[in-house]
Amino acid sequence: MEQATEIAGPAAVKAAGEGGSSGILHLDPQLCIVSLDEAAGTLLGAEPHALLGRRLDEIADLADLGAYMKSGTVFNGQPIEVNGRRILCDYLPTVESDQVVGGVLSLQRVLPEAHDCEVDLKELLQSAGAYLDLNYDGIVICDRAGVIVMVNQAFADLLDTTPHAIIGKHLNEAYLNSQPSRLPGVMETETPQVGITHYINGKQVYASLYPIHKNGNVVGGIGKILFKDIREITLIANRLQTAPETRALAGSVTRKETSSRYDVNSIVGQSKKILDLKESLLRVAGKNSNVLLLGESGTGKELFAHAIHAASNRRYAQFVKVNCAAIPEHLLESELFGYSEGAFTGARKGGQLGKFEQAHLGTIFLDEIGDMPLYMQAKMLRVLQERELTPLGGGAPKMVDVRVVAATNCNLEHLVREGKFRQDLYYRLKVVTLSIPSLRERKEDIRPLVMNFIHQFNEEFGLEVQALSLEAREVIMRYDWPGNVRELRNVIESAFNLVTGPLILRDHLPDQLARMHDSSAAEASAAQDIGGYIHQRLGAMPLSEIVDEFEQLLLETALQVSKGNKLQAADLLGISRQWLYKKLHKYESGEDS
């Protein structure tokens, strides 16, 4: 009798999607499947045991939903795509001690091909990304009937409750001790209400409301809480009144020059070093102390600077970047502090604001601070100590309120000993120091970084690349990455210019990587050994025992290569750490498969 195939047939999938029960999956924080029922396996098109330990985002196209699932956002009635089919899902995170430790995904049904989900978060979040910030603003999204289909923790905090308690309720049922929601009226009139005051749970908040359009029809609404307490606006207004010169900024500085484009969720990685660093970043961001970022070139220091600004109470003001090494020495002072009219030949009429004035009330990022000339270091120290500057060419001193985030790949202590960097400025800058690890120190983050870059370049190149081939992945994992994340990104982009199928192959990688992994005599010998191993066991043992023995051998080898580091061993095997523990327990206890 032939062995039954693991993949469920189309008829079974259709039956489960249309007439069968919904399926349930339990996920860990990295969206790896911890457990699932038969109905979930049928809807996903495979036997449950074949899906255990696999990442959900490798099985299904989650689009932007994956990031929000990891952050603990709750949603109802949203589609994920599996093998060309759209499955309607609900999601509830599991939270312990204010930390997201996993979640439960309920697979409801397969959508007919002609069916469009009314409020499709994938489309909405992509189109509304310019004005949505799910990490800081309170966000609630409802369907046309006023039923909440998505809510984040920041909004639930306003109501002193959890997203679980709000999801699926009508707006007016969820808002206890609050004014009736204005979203139904916004959907009815199809007119946004921007910058309105509203009472929620006894607090006067500042909000913006928008109708959601699809194919010319209103299909839902979105509410965004910008300030959780109206008093925040008064505090900011009072600060702005003390700086009338900032009004000139609007006409002289473009948004591209002064906007923060990333937040802490833009930092990809699940290694302990990165998770600890992100936690430290969030603690530091809420203060106003200066921050010094240390790390090799290409580790992402600018990304961390953006994230500090985005998580701070200065996030609504300017973020200004200055590369101290890229500006000629004779222009650096005028760039940083500005100049008065007639300060030098060719000076702009009316003068020009410097980067520090542009960053007033916000954050200035001084990259490559170790390359700043000594004479400028003395002027910089005065700005940090006295919070005032004098533009080139004279004029009255100007007060500035700026948070400084500096970065360098140099050893500043060594430069101080050599007399090339002022000691007093060094201590002013390093009030808080965050050291960003190199990529070779967190190799377990390579895989999520690669998948993130593949997603980015799929959109940019219009391709549908799924992953690296096994051989290409081994090359990537064995390389030392002297250029860190920047080099990894460039390698994946280079491969996208050559790839023709769903997988990036070793031949698509740059020569310097591929050469490091050319087949050697030892590898050929190992391949022959494997062939001999299989020949010896064929006919002597049943298939299941051969598979179990070989699997156990792979587990032992992975642990030897990783020197007992189970997280690294799991990454080498392409499985979750929980699944590795389960396999190890199986062979240690002698359980049957």
Side-chain angles (χ1 to χ4, degrees), residues 16-18 22 43 86-89 107-112 115:
E18 295 180 357
S22 60
L43 282 164
R86 299 177 79 208
I87 303 175
L88 214 58
C89 303
L107 308 180
Q108 299 298 326
R109 57 189 173 88
V110 177
L111 290 172
H115 185 277

Side-chain angles (χ1 to χ4, degrees), residues 207-274:
S208 294
L209 311 175
Y210 305 88
I212 302 170
H213 291 91
K214 186 170 183 179
N215 300 327
N217 299 314
V218 174
V219 295
I222 178 168
K224 167 184 174 180
I225 308 299
L226 185 58
F227 291 95
K228 297 180 182 179
D229 191 325
I230 205 73
R231 288 173 295 179
E232 290 185 53
I233 301 174
T234 305
L235 291 172
I236 292 176
N238 289 339
R239 294 173 76 189
L240 286 170
Q241 285 176 358
T242 65
E245 69 275 11
T246 59
R247 290 193 294 268
L249 192 60
S252 61
V253 185
T254 66
R255 179 171 177 80
K256 182 177 179 181
E257 292 173 321
T258 59
S259 61
S260 178
R261 295 172 289 168
Y262 310 104
D263 59 27
V264 71
N265 290 309
S266 304
I267 302 170
V268 177
Q270 292 297 323
S271 63
K272 187 178 186 305
K273 288 186 177 182
I274 285 296

Side-chain angles (χ1 to χ4, degrees), residues 77-108:
Q78 295 306 311
I80 63 173
E81 190 169 314
V82 181
N83 297 327
R85 294 175 294 107
R86 299 177 79 208
I87 303 175
L88 214 58
C89 303
D90 299 342
Y91 180 72
L92 287 176
T94 304
V95 181
E96 295 178 3
S97 302
D98 296 327
Q99 295 291 320
V100 177
V101 295
V104 179
L105 185 71
S106 174
L107 308 180
Q108 299 298 326

Side-chain angles (χ1 to χ4, degrees), residues 239 288 314 356 359-363 387-388 398-403:
R239 294 173 76 189
N288 281 315
R314 296 173 177 265
F356 268 87
H360 183 59
L361 302 181
T363 304
R387 294 187 177 275
E388 71 173 24
K398 298 181 179 181
M399 300 299 297
V400 288
D401 179 4
V402 175
R403 184 192 200 162

Side-chain angles (χ1 to χ4, degrees), residues 117-130:
C117 180
E118 280 196 346
V119 185
D120 189 333
L121 292 181
K122 174 181 176 181
E123 297 176 1
L124 171 67
L125 294 170
Q126 288 174 345
S127 62

Side-chain angles (χ1 to χ4, degrees), residues 462-473:
L463 299 176
E464 295 183 357
V465 175
Q466 296 175 8
L468 301 174
S469 70
L470 290 176
E471 193 175 21
R473 185 167 179 267

Side-chain angles (χ1 to χ4, degrees), residues 477-496:
M477 293 302 299
R478 292 200 177 199
Y479 187 58
D480 259 353
W481 299 107
N484 294 294
V485 179
R486 182 187 294 124
E487 184 181 9
L488 176 61
R489 187 183 191 278
N490 290 343
V491 164
I492 301 302
E493 183 176 7
S494 172
F496 261 76

